[in-house]
PDB file of all heavy atoms in Angstrom:
ATOM      1  N   ARG Q   3      12.874   5.034   1.127  1.00  0.00           N
ATOM      2  CA  ARG Q   3      13.427   4.033   2.054  1.00  0.00           C
ATOM      3  C   ARG Q   3      13.785   4.684   3.390  1.00  0.00           C
ATOM      4  O   ARG Q   3      13.536   4.120   4.444  1.00  0.00           O
ATOM      5  CB  ARG Q   3      14.676   3.378   1.455  1.00  0.00           C
ATOM      6  CG  ARG Q   3      14.397   2.599   0.206  1.00  0.00           C
ATOM      7  CD  ARG Q   3      13.937   1.212   0.544  1.00  0.00           C
ATOM      8  NE  ARG Q   3      13.756   0.486  -0.695  1.00  0.00           N
ATOM      9  CZ  ARG Q   3      12.726  -0.291  -0.933  1.00  0.00           C
ATOM     10  NH1 ARG Q   3      11.817  -0.475  -0.035  1.00  0.00           N
ATOM     11  NH2 ARG Q   3      12.614  -0.906  -2.089  1.00  0.00           N
ATOM     12  N   LYS Q   6      10.672   5.326   5.310  1.00  0.00           N
ATOM     13  CA  LYS Q   6      10.162   4.050   5.806  1.00  0.00           C
ATOM     14  C   LYS Q   6      10.892   3.630   7.079  1.00  0.00           C
ATOM     15  O   LYS Q   6      10.269   3.221   8.056  1.00  0.00           O
ATOM     16  CB  LYS Q   6      10.330   2.994   4.707  1.00  0.00           C
ATOM     17  CG  LYS Q   6       9.733   1.664   5.002  1.00  0.00           C
ATOM     18  CD  LYS Q   6       9.893   0.770   3.777  1.00  0.00           C
ATOM     19  CE  LYS Q   6       9.345  -0.601   3.983  1.00  0.00           C
ATOM     20  NZ  LYS Q   6       9.487  -1.449   2.819  1.00  0.00           N
ATOM     21  N   LEU Q   9       9.936   6.102   9.941  1.00  0.00           N
ATOM     22  CA  LEU Q   9       8.571   5.839  10.384  1.00  0.00           C
ATOM     23  C   LEU Q   9       8.507   4.564  11.217  1.00  0.00           C
ATOM     24  O   LEU Q   9       7.916   4.549  12.291  1.00  0.00           O
ATOM     25  CB  LEU Q   9       7.626   5.729   9.187  1.00  0.00           C
ATOM     26  CG  LEU Q   9       6.170   5.383   9.510  1.00  0.00           C
ATOM     27  CD1 LEU Q   9       5.549   6.466  10.379  1.00  0.00           C
ATOM     28  CD2 LEU Q   9       5.371   5.210   8.236  1.00  0.00           C
ATOM     29  N   PHE Q  30      -7.459   2.246   4.976  1.00  0.00           N
ATOM     30  CA  PHE Q  30      -7.083   0.951   4.402  1.00  0.00           C
ATOM     31  C   PHE Q  30      -8.269   0.043   4.095  1.00  0.00           C
ATOM     32  O   PHE Q  30      -8.109  -0.943   3.395  1.00  0.00           O
ATOM     33  CB  PHE Q  30      -6.067   0.251   5.310  1.00  0.00           C
ATOM     34  CG  PHE Q  30      -4.786   1.027   5.426  1.00  0.00           C
ATOM     35  CD1 PHE Q  30      -4.402   1.600   6.621  1.00  0.00           C
ATOM     36  CD2 PHE Q  30      -3.979   1.212   4.313  1.00  0.00           C
ATOM     37  CE1 PHE Q  30      -3.228   2.328   6.718  1.00  0.00           C
ATOM     38  CE2 PHE Q  30      -2.806   1.945   4.392  1.00  0.00           C
ATOM     39  CZ  PHE Q  30      -2.429   2.504   5.601  1.00  0.00           C
ATOM     40  N   ILE Q  33      -8.857   0.493   0.303  1.00  0.00           N
ATOM     41  CA  ILE Q  33      -7.637   0.057  -0.380  1.00  0.00           C
ATOM     42  C   ILE Q  33      -7.521  -1.456  -0.338  1.00  0.00           C
ATOM     43  O   ILE Q  33      -7.246  -2.104  -1.359  1.00  0.00           O
ATOM     44  CB  ILE Q  33      -6.394   0.748   0.224  1.00  0.00           C
ATOM     45  CG1 ILE Q  33      -6.418   2.254  -0.100  1.00  0.00           C
ATOM     46  CG2 ILE Q  33      -5.106   0.101  -0.268  1.00  0.00           C
ATOM     47  CD1 ILE Q  33      -5.357   3.073   0.615  1.00  0.00           C
ATOM     48  N   ILE Q  37      -7.465  -4.159  -3.527  1.00  0.00           N
ATOM     49  CA  ILE Q  37      -6.351  -5.098  -3.723  1.00  0.00           C
ATOM     50  C   ILE Q  37      -6.893  -6.520  -3.779  1.00  0.00           C
ATOM     51  O   ILE Q  37      -6.531  -7.303  -4.660  1.00  0.00           O
ATOM     52  CB  ILE Q  37      -5.285  -4.953  -2.616  1.00  0.00           C
ATOM     53  CG1 ILE Q  37      -4.563  -3.609  -2.758  1.00  0.00           C
ATOM     54  CG2 ILE Q  37      -4.284  -6.116  -2.671  1.00  0.00           C
ATOM     55  CD1 ILE Q  37      -3.614  -3.288  -1.616  1.00  0.00           C
ATOM     56  N   GLU Q  54       6.364   5.148  -5.278  1.00  0.00           N
ATOM     57  CA  GLU Q  54       7.299   4.035  -5.432  1.00  0.00           C
ATOM     58  C   GLU Q  54       6.485   2.754  -5.404  1.00  0.00           C
ATOM     59  O   GLU Q  54       5.700   2.534  -4.487  1.00  0.00           O
ATOM     60  CB  GLU Q  54       8.330   4.018  -4.302  1.00  0.00           C
ATOM     61  CG  GLU Q  54       9.326   2.892  -4.461  1.00  0.00           C
ATOM     62  CD  GLU Q  54      10.357   2.837  -3.344  1.00  0.00           C
ATOM     63  OE1 GLU Q  54      10.602   3.860  -2.691  1.00  0.00           O
ATOM     64  OE2 GLU Q  54      10.907   1.750  -3.130  1.00  0.00           O
ATOM     65  N   ILE Q  55       6.667   1.936  -6.428  1.00  0.00           N
ATOM     66  CA  ILE Q  55       5.986   0.649  -6.474  1.00  0.00           C
ATOM     67  C   ILE Q  55       7.051  -0.433  -6.617  1.00  0.00           C
ATOM     68  O   ILE Q  55       7.946  -0.338  -7.450  1.00  0.00           O
ATOM     69  CB  ILE Q  55       4.919   0.588  -7.596  1.00  0.00           C
ATOM     70  CG1 ILE Q  55       4.135  -0.726  -7.520  1.00  0.00           C
ATOM     71  CG2 ILE Q  55       5.510   0.832  -8.956  1.00  0.00           C
ATOM     72  CD1 ILE Q  55       2.826  -0.711  -8.271  1.00  0.00           C
ATOM     73  N   SER Q  56       6.965  -1.426  -5.758  1.00  0.00           N
ATOM     74  CA  SER Q  56       7.933  -2.515  -5.748  1.00  0.00           C
ATOM     75  C   SER Q  56       7.163  -3.829  -5.821  1.00  0.00           C
ATOM     76  O   SER Q  56       6.371  -4.136  -4.939  1.00  0.00           O
ATOM     77  CB  SER Q  56       8.781  -2.463  -4.479  1.00  0.00           C
ATOM     78  OG  SER Q  56       9.676  -3.544  -4.445  1.00  0.00           O
ATOM     79  N   PHE Q  85      -7.237 -10.739   0.336  1.00  0.00           N
ATOM     80  CA  PHE Q  85      -6.253  -9.833   0.917  1.00  0.00           C
ATOM     81  C   PHE Q  85      -6.740  -9.424   2.290  1.00  0.00           C
ATOM     82  O   PHE Q  85      -7.887  -9.001   2.450  1.00  0.00           O
ATOM     83  CB  PHE Q  85      -6.053  -8.591   0.044  1.00  0.00           C
ATOM     84  CG  PHE Q  85      -5.071  -7.616   0.641  1.00  0.00           C
ATOM     85  CD1 PHE Q  85      -3.728  -7.944   0.725  1.00  0.00           C
ATOM     86  CD2 PHE Q  85      -5.498  -6.394   1.127  1.00  0.00           C
ATOM     87  CE1 PHE Q  85      -2.813  -7.053   1.292  1.00  0.00           C
ATOM     88  CE2 PHE Q  85      -4.599  -5.497   1.687  1.00  0.00           C
ATOM     89  CZ  PHE Q  85      -3.254  -5.832   1.765  1.00  0.00           C
ATOM     90  N   ILE Q  87      -5.536  -7.195   5.809  1.00  0.00           N
ATOM     91  CA  ILE Q  87      -4.622  -6.312   6.525  1.00  0.00           C
ATOM     92  C   ILE Q  87      -4.292  -6.986   7.852  1.00  0.00           C
ATOM     93  O   ILE Q  87      -5.196  -7.400   8.587  1.00  0.00           O
ATOM     94  CB  ILE Q  87      -5.268  -4.930   6.783  1.00  0.00           C
ATOM     95  CG1 ILE Q  87      -5.581  -4.217   5.469  1.00  0.00           C
ATOM     96  CG2 ILE Q  87      -4.391  -4.082   7.695  1.00  0.00           C
ATOM     97  CD1 ILE Q  87      -4.398  -3.651   4.737  1.00  0.00           C
ATOM     98  N   HIS Q  89      -1.709  -5.560  10.018  1.00  0.00           N
ATOM     99  CA  HIS Q  89      -1.206  -4.559  10.967  1.00  0.00           C
ATOM    100  C   HIS Q  89      -1.311  -3.168  10.345  1.00  0.00           C
ATOM    101  O   HIS Q  89      -1.040  -3.009   9.160  1.00  0.00           O
ATOM    102  CB  HIS Q  89       0.263  -4.856  11.315  1.00  0.00           C
ATOM    103  CG  HIS Q  89       0.862  -3.877  12.261  1.00  0.00           C
ATOM    104  ND1 HIS Q  89       0.577  -3.868  13.598  1.00  0.00           N
ATOM    105  CD2 HIS Q  89       1.721  -2.849  12.052  1.00  0.00           C
ATOM    106  CE1 HIS Q  89       1.244  -2.887  14.178  1.00  0.00           C
ATOM    107  NE2 HIS Q  89       1.951  -2.251  13.266  1.00  0.00           N
ATOM    108  N   LYS Q  97       0.560   7.015   7.412  1.00  0.00           N
ATOM    109  CA  LYS Q  97       0.142   5.718   7.946  1.00  0.00           C
ATOM    110  C   LYS Q  97       0.698   4.603   7.073  1.00  0.00           C
ATOM    111  O   LYS Q  97       1.000   4.810   5.913  1.00  0.00           O
ATOM    112  CB  LYS Q  97      -1.386   5.620   7.968  1.00  0.00           C
ATOM    113  CG  LYS Q  97      -2.037   6.694   8.803  1.00  0.00           C
ATOM    114  CD  LYS Q  97      -3.539   6.601   8.766  1.00  0.00           C
ATOM    115  CE  LYS Q  97      -4.117   7.758   9.572  1.00  0.00           C
ATOM    116  NZ  LYS Q  97      -5.529   7.620   9.811  1.00  0.00           N
ATOM    117  N   TYR Q  98       0.821   3.433   7.668  1.00  0.00           N
ATOM    118  CA  TYR Q  98       1.205   2.279   6.859  1.00  0.00           C
ATOM    119  C   TYR Q  98       0.419   1.063   7.288  1.00  0.00           C
ATOM    120  O   TYR Q  98      -0.117   1.002   8.391  1.00  0.00           O
ATOM    121  CB  TYR Q  98       2.717   2.028   6.915  1.00  0.00           C
ATOM    122  CG  TYR Q  98       3.220   1.242   8.092  1.00  0.00           C
ATOM    123  CD1 TYR Q  98       3.381  -0.144   8.013  1.00  0.00           C
ATOM    124  CD2 TYR Q  98       3.553   1.871   9.286  1.00  0.00           C
ATOM    125  CE1 TYR Q  98       3.858  -0.872   9.091  1.00  0.00           C
ATOM    126  CE2 TYR Q  98       4.044   1.153  10.358  1.00  0.00           C
ATOM    127  CZ  TYR Q  98       4.187  -0.212  10.265  1.00  0.00           C
ATOM    128  OH  TYR Q  98       4.656  -0.938  11.335  1.00  0.00           O
ATOM    129  N   ALA Q  99       0.339   0.110   6.377  1.00  0.00           N
ATOM    130  CA  ALA Q  99      -0.348  -1.147   6.649  1.00  0.00           C
ATOM    131  C   ALA Q  99       0.475  -2.288   6.085  1.00  0.00           C
ATOM    132  O   ALA Q  99       1.148  -2.142   5.062  1.00  0.00           O
ATOM    133  CB  ALA Q  99      -1.738  -1.152   6.018  1.00  0.00           C
ATOM    134  N   LEU Q 100       0.413  -3.402   6.770  1.00  0.00           N
ATOM    135  CA  LEU Q 100       0.990  -4.654   6.285  1.00  0.00           C
ATOM    136  C   LEU Q 100      -0.165  -5.602   6.051  1.00  0.00           C
ATOM    137  O   LEU Q 100      -1.120  -5.633   6.823  1.00  0.00           O
ATOM    138  CB  LEU Q 100       1.940  -5.251   7.327  1.00  0.00           C
ATOM    139  CG  LEU Q 100       3.138  -4.408   7.720  1.00  0.00           C
ATOM    140  CD1 LEU Q 100       3.907  -5.090   8.849  1.00  0.00           C
ATOM    141  CD2 LEU Q 100       4.037  -4.174   6.535  1.00  0.00           C
ATOM    142  N   GLY Q 101      -0.067  -6.371   4.977  1.00  0.00           N
ATOM    143  CA  GLY Q 101      -1.136  -7.297   4.681  1.00  0.00           C
ATOM    144  C   GLY Q 101      -0.638  -8.554   4.005  1.00  0.00           C
ATOM    145  O   GLY Q 101       0.520  -8.640   3.588  1.00  0.00           O
ATOM    146  N   SER Q 102      -1.534  -9.514   3.914  1.00  0.00           N
ATOM    147  CA  SER Q 102      -1.235 -10.802   3.301  1.00  0.00           C
ATOM    148  C   SER Q 102      -2.151 -10.982   2.089  1.00  0.00           C
ATOM    149  O   SER Q 102      -3.381 -10.975   2.230  1.00  0.00           O
ATOM    150  CB  SER Q 102      -1.465 -11.911   4.323  1.00  0.00           C
ATOM    151  OG  SER Q 102      -1.220 -13.169   3.755  1.00  0.00           O
ATOM    152  N   PHE Q 110       1.694 -13.383  -0.694  1.00  0.00           N
ATOM    153  CA  PHE Q 110       2.581 -12.230  -0.777  1.00  0.00           C
ATOM    154  C   PHE Q 110       2.376 -11.330   0.434  1.00  0.00           C
ATOM    155  O   PHE Q 110       1.259 -11.230   0.951  1.00  0.00           O
ATOM    156  CB  PHE Q 110       2.282 -11.413  -2.047  1.00  0.00           C
ATOM    157  CG  PHE Q 110       2.517 -12.158  -3.320  1.00  0.00           C
ATOM    158  CD1 PHE Q 110       1.506 -12.910  -3.904  1.00  0.00           C
ATOM    159  CD2 PHE Q 110       3.761 -12.125  -3.941  1.00  0.00           C
ATOM    160  CE1 PHE Q 110       1.715 -13.612  -5.082  1.00  0.00           C
ATOM    161  CE2 PHE Q 110       3.977 -12.820  -5.130  1.00  0.00           C
ATOM    162  CZ  PHE Q 110       2.962 -13.568  -5.693  1.00  0.00           C
ATOM    163  N   ILE Q 111       3.447 -10.694   0.860  1.00  0.00           N
ATOM    164  CA  ILE Q 111       3.389  -9.679   1.903  1.00  0.00           C
ATOM    165  C   ILE Q 111       3.266  -8.330   1.200  1.00  0.00           C
ATOM    166  O   ILE Q 111       4.051  -8.021   0.299  1.00  0.00           O
ATOM    167  CB  ILE Q 111       4.658  -9.697   2.781  1.00  0.00           C
ATOM    168  CG1 ILE Q 111       4.828 -11.064   3.441  1.00  0.00           C
ATOM    169  CG2 ILE Q 111       4.622  -8.571   3.809  1.00  0.00           C
ATOM    170  CD1 ILE Q 111       3.699 -11.461   4.355  1.00  0.00           C
ATOM    171  N   VAL Q 112       2.292  -7.545   1.615  1.00  0.00           N
ATOM    172  CA  VAL Q 112       2.048  -6.236   1.004  1.00  0.00           C
ATOM    173  C   VAL Q 112       2.270  -5.155   2.058  1.00  0.00           C
ATOM    174  O   VAL Q 112       1.758  -5.249   3.172  1.00  0.00           O
ATOM    175  CB  VAL Q 112       0.612  -6.144   0.448  1.00  0.00           C
ATOM    176  CG1 VAL Q 112       0.350  -4.778  -0.158  1.00  0.00           C
ATOM    177  CG2 VAL Q 112       0.360  -7.253  -0.580  1.00  0.00           C
ATOM    178  N   THR Q 113       3.039  -4.145   1.690  1.00  0.00           N
ATOM    179  CA  THR Q 113       3.257  -2.978   2.539  1.00  0.00           C
ATOM    180  C   THR Q 113       2.728  -1.759   1.798  1.00  0.00           C
ATOM    181  O   THR Q 113       3.048  -1.556   0.630  1.00  0.00           O
ATOM    182  CB  THR Q 113       4.757  -2.779   2.838  1.00  0.00           C
ATOM    183  OG1 THR Q 113       5.294  -3.986   3.383  1.00  0.00           O
ATOM    184  CG2 THR Q 113       4.972  -1.640   3.815  1.00  0.00           C
ATOM    185  N   ILE Q 114       1.919  -0.977   2.489  1.00  0.00           N
ATOM    186  CA  ILE Q 114       1.308   0.211   1.890  1.00  0.00           C
ATOM    187  C   ILE Q 114       1.598   1.410   2.784  1.00  0.00           C
ATOM    188  O   ILE Q 114       1.293   1.381   3.981  1.00  0.00           O
ATOM    189  CB  ILE Q 114      -0.218   0.056   1.768  1.00  0.00           C
ATOM    190  CG1 ILE Q 114      -0.597  -1.261   1.104  1.00  0.00           C
ATOM    191  CG2 ILE Q 114      -0.831   1.247   1.043  1.00  0.00           C
ATOM    192  CD1 ILE Q 114      -2.018  -1.707   1.387  1.00  0.00           C
ATOM    193  N   PHE Q 115       2.200   2.459   2.210  1.00  0.00           N
ATOM    194  CA  PHE Q 115       2.407   3.721   2.918  1.00  0.00           C
ATOM    195  C   PHE Q 115       1.508   4.766   2.295  1.00  0.00           C
ATOM    196  O   PHE Q 115       1.503   4.940   1.071  1.00  0.00           O
ATOM    197  CB  PHE Q 115       3.861   4.186   2.797  1.00  0.00           C
ATOM    198  CG  PHE Q 115       4.794   3.474   3.722  1.00  0.00           C
ATOM    199  CD1 PHE Q 115       5.402   2.301   3.330  1.00  0.00           C
ATOM    200  CD2 PHE Q 115       5.070   3.976   4.983  1.00  0.00           C
ATOM    201  CE1 PHE Q 115       6.268   1.630   4.174  1.00  0.00           C
ATOM    202  CE2 PHE Q 115       5.929   3.318   5.835  1.00  0.00           C
ATOM    203  CZ  PHE Q 115       6.532   2.142   5.432  1.00  0.00           C
ATOM    204  N   VAL Q 116       0.756   5.474   3.123  1.00  0.00           N
ATOM    205  CA  VAL Q 116      -0.073   6.572   2.649  1.00  0.00           C
ATOM    206  C   VAL Q 116       0.280   7.839   3.413  1.00  0.00           C
ATOM    207  O   VAL Q 116       0.715   7.783   4.562  1.00  0.00           O
ATOM    208  CB  VAL Q 116      -1.588   6.284   2.803  1.00  0.00           C
ATOM    209  CG1 VAL Q 116      -2.006   5.092   1.977  1.00  0.00           C
ATOM    210  CG2 VAL Q 116      -1.980   6.109   4.252  1.00  0.00           C
ATOM    211  N   ILE Q 125      -1.605   6.914  -1.700  1.00  0.00           N
ATOM    212  CA  ILE Q 125      -0.568   5.897  -1.567  1.00  0.00           C
ATOM    213  C   ILE Q 125       0.736   6.454  -2.120  1.00  0.00           C
ATOM    214  O   ILE Q 125       0.809   6.834  -3.292  1.00  0.00           O
ATOM    215  CB  ILE Q 125      -0.958   4.604  -2.316  1.00  0.00           C
ATOM    216  CG1 ILE Q 125      -2.222   4.003  -1.701  1.00  0.00           C
ATOM    217  CG2 ILE Q 125       0.196   3.600  -2.308  1.00  0.00           C
ATOM    218  CD1 ILE Q 125      -2.813   2.832  -2.480  1.00  0.00           C
ATOM    219  N   GLN Q 126       1.764   6.499  -1.280  1.00  0.00           N
ATOM    220  CA  GLN Q 126       3.096   6.959  -1.676  1.00  0.00           C
ATOM    221  C   GLN Q 126       4.005   5.781  -2.036  1.00  0.00           C
ATOM    222  O   GLN Q 126       4.937   5.930  -2.815  1.00  0.00           O
ATOM    223  CB  GLN Q 126       3.759   7.748  -0.537  1.00  0.00           C
ATOM    224  CG  GLN Q 126       3.042   9.030  -0.198  1.00  0.00           C
ATOM    225  CD  GLN Q 126       3.105  10.035  -1.310  1.00  0.00           C
ATOM    226  OE1 GLN Q 126       4.129  10.201  -1.967  1.00  0.00           O
ATOM    227  NE2 GLN Q 126       2.019  10.720  -1.561  1.00  0.00           N
ATOM    228  N   GLN Q 127       3.727   4.634  -1.417  1.00  0.00           N
ATOM    229  CA  GLN Q 127       4.552   3.464  -1.668  1.00  0.00           C
ATOM    230  C   GLN Q 127       3.703   2.216  -1.544  1.00  0.00           C
ATOM    231  O   GLN Q 127       2.913   2.081  -0.615  1.00  0.00           O
ATOM    232  CB  GLN Q 127       5.704   3.387  -0.665  1.00  0.00           C
ATOM    233  CG  GLN Q 127       6.612   2.205  -0.901  1.00  0.00           C
ATOM    234  CD  GLN Q 127       7.753   2.142   0.120  1.00  0.00           C
ATOM    235  OE1 GLN Q 127       7.710   2.804   1.145  1.00  0.00           O
ATOM    236  NE2 GLN Q 127       8.742   1.348  -0.174  1.00  0.00           N
ATOM    237  N   LEU Q 128       3.872   1.304  -2.492  1.00  0.00           N
ATOM    238  CA  LEU Q 128       3.195   0.017  -2.496  1.00  0.00           C
ATOM    239  C   LEU Q 128       4.233  -1.044  -2.811  1.00  0.00           C
ATOM    240  O   LEU Q 128       4.926  -0.961  -3.828  1.00  0.00           O
ATOM    241  CB  LEU Q 128       2.074  -0.005  -3.545  1.00  0.00           C
ATOM    242  CG  LEU Q 128       1.292  -1.303  -3.691  1.00  0.00           C
ATOM    243  CD1 LEU Q 128       0.542  -1.615  -2.419  1.00  0.00           C
ATOM    244  CD2 LEU Q 128       0.325  -1.195  -4.863  1.00  0.00           C
ATOM    245  N   GLU Q 129       4.356  -1.993  -1.906  1.00  0.00           N
ATOM    246  CA  GLU Q 129       5.369  -3.035  -2.054  1.00  0.00           C
ATOM    247  C   GLU Q 129       4.713  -4.405  -1.929  1.00  0.00           C
ATOM    248  O   GLU Q 129       3.953  -4.655  -0.991  1.00  0.00           O
ATOM    249  CB  GLU Q 129       6.408  -2.849  -0.942  1.00  0.00           C
ATOM    250  CG  GLU Q 129       7.655  -3.641  -1.093  1.00  0.00           C
ATOM    251  CD  GLU Q 129       8.688  -3.242  -0.041  1.00  0.00           C
ATOM    252  OE1 GLU Q 129       8.797  -2.055   0.299  1.00  0.00           O
ATOM    253  OE2 GLU Q 129       9.365  -4.169   0.443  1.00  0.00           O
ATOM    254  N   ILE Q 130       4.972  -5.279  -2.892  1.00  0.00           N
ATOM    255  CA  ILE Q 130       4.449  -6.645  -2.881  1.00  0.00           C
ATOM    256  C   ILE Q 130       5.630  -7.594  -3.033  1.00  0.00           C
ATOM    257  O   ILE Q 130       6.340  -7.549  -4.037  1.00  0.00           O
ATOM    258  CB  ILE Q 130       3.432  -6.876  -4.025  1.00  0.00           C
ATOM    259  CG1 ILE Q 130       2.265  -5.896  -3.917  1.00  0.00           C
ATOM    260  CG2 ILE Q 130       2.940  -8.322  -4.009  1.00  0.00           C
ATOM    261  CD1 ILE Q 130       1.299  -5.938  -5.095  1.00  0.00           C
ATOM    262  N   ASP Q 131       5.837  -8.438  -2.028  1.00  0.00           N
ATOM    263  CA  ASP Q 131       6.935  -9.406  -2.064  1.00  0.00           C
ATOM    264  C   ASP Q 131       6.434 -10.788  -1.673  1.00  0.00           C
ATOM    265  O   ASP Q 131       5.465 -10.915  -0.932  1.00  0.00           O
ATOM    266  CB  ASP Q 131       8.058  -8.996  -1.092  1.00  0.00           C
ATOM    267  CG  ASP Q 131       8.967  -7.949  -1.678  1.00  0.00           C
ATOM    268  OD1 ASP Q 131       9.397  -8.113  -2.831  1.00  0.00           O
ATOM    269  OD2 ASP Q 131       9.248  -6.961  -0.977  1.00  0.00           O
TER     270      ASP Q 131
END
Side-chain angles (χ1 to χ4, degrees):
R3 296 275 183 223
K6 186 176 179 180
L9 177 62
F30 297 113
I33 292 171
I37 291 173
E54 181 181 337
I55 186 162
S56 178
F85 178 68
I87 297 286
H89 179 75
K97 301 178 183 191
Y98 83 93
L100 299 175
S102 178
F110 297 89
I111 301 299
V112 179
T113 306
I114 310 159
F115 281 89
V116 298
I125 297 172
Q126 295 294 320
Q127 181 180 15
L128 179 64
E129 192 172 323
I130 302 173
D131 279 313

